[in-house]
Amino acid sequence: MYLYLIRHGIAIDRDALSIDEFRPLTKLGRKKVAQVADKLVGLDLKFDLIVTSPLVRARQTADILIDKQLSHNLEVSTDLAPGGNIQSWIADWDQRSTVDPISTLALVGHEPDLSEWAELFIFGKVYHQLILKKGGIIGLKFPAPAEHQSPQIEIGKAQLHCLIPPKYLM
Amino acid sequence: MYLYLIRHGIAIDRDALSIDEFRPLTKLGRKKVAQVADKLVGLDLKFDLIVTSPLVRARQTADILIDKQLSHNLEVSTDLAPGGNIQSWIADWDQRSTVDPISTLALVGHEPDLSEWAELFIFGKVYHQLILKKGGIIGLKFPAPAEHQSPQIEIGKAQLHCLIPPKYLM
């Protein structure tokens, strides 16, 4: 199973809008996310499902990925909001994955959560040593499940196959 | 200080040439490394120095990077050969860096050494959880040195800012 962690694009400043949840992407932010999406389309990447944080800048980033047809399925999870509970998300996911197998999943969210989760998935602990830029992507590969088992997202089991700043995707 | 670890490109099979050290890049291997180099040139990346493993497939990879003018300085180190001694290399490097400051350095070498060294530089231990494809790149960032100090390559101090399979660079 492949899990991609995608950070939202550049949003308007915190000073410009008092409610953080509502800050939209800037024009440049939308453009860069669209360029990243085009690159991924060119590489034949497809997500069985995109799950996004409910915050506007993440929703808008996910919407661009959907517009570019990187996936046909979009869901929103409050567990992906800043400071969200990834353990709660994994528990829900494991229950669901037994009935709804997914082999390529993308989560759209925020820093420092995404890079912390990546370290947790890979190493089983958080080092704060991964740098994930806005519009950047982390790609994780989980081991193939045993026969008749569903693919699982497990702490400390993933391999890191890519960590790509957006400038390399344009 | 930025340290880039670059894996050599695709070489001819072990079956085709009995002496591993002499295996050259294939035509496709040379082409892909050249495409990766072109992408890096387009992003204005420059290396103050490239140090390569003495094996033919690494030397040829480094030569392509030099031909594309990603650096004007090339050296060979036996510490970068397969199973080489990175601790020995760091000791030599630290002595040298006090007289010859380098801010962007590339090492061209082999797996599993490069990804093990990356984990050592970042986390202080080896997990075997990074996947580095042939022609792929790992980018590490070391903390800025204290005033009047030289930049140092230290175990457990680096941040990972990119891990890029070659297909994303073409």
Side-chain angles (χ1 to χ4, degrees), chain A residues 51-95:
Chain A
V51 186
T52 179
S53 148
L55 273 63
V56 167
R57 57 192 183 275
R59 284 292 305 260
Q60 289 182 332
T61 300
D63 285 344
I64 293 168
L65 303 179
I66 293 286
D67 284 348
K68 297 285 186 179
Q69 308 213 348
L70 281 161
S71 181
H72 300 297
N73 302 300
L74 178 65
E75 295 181 7
V76 178
S77 169
T78 54
D79 289 329
L80 301 185
N85 187 337
I86 195 65
Q87 304 280 6
S88 153
W89 183 83
I90 292 172
D92 288 350
W93 181 260
D94 282 351
Q95 282 204 323

Side-chain angles (χ1 to χ4, degrees), chain B residues 123-140:
Chain B
F123 308 112
K125 61 180 280 196
V126 174
Y127 286 93
H128 302 289
Q129 294 294 75
L130 307 188
I131 300 172
L132 181 61
K133 300 267 191 189
K134 292 186 182 83
I137 293 180
I138 293 174
L140 304 178

Side-chain angles (χ1 to χ4, degrees), chain A residues 39 127 129 158 160 163 170, chain B residues 39 127 129 158 160 163 170:
Chain A
K39 177 75 178 184
Y127 286 94
Q129 295 293 76
L160 180 68
L163 189 170
M170 291 172 185
Chain B
K39 178 75 178 182
Y127 286 93
Q129 294 294 75
L160 180 68
L163 190 171
M170 291 171 187

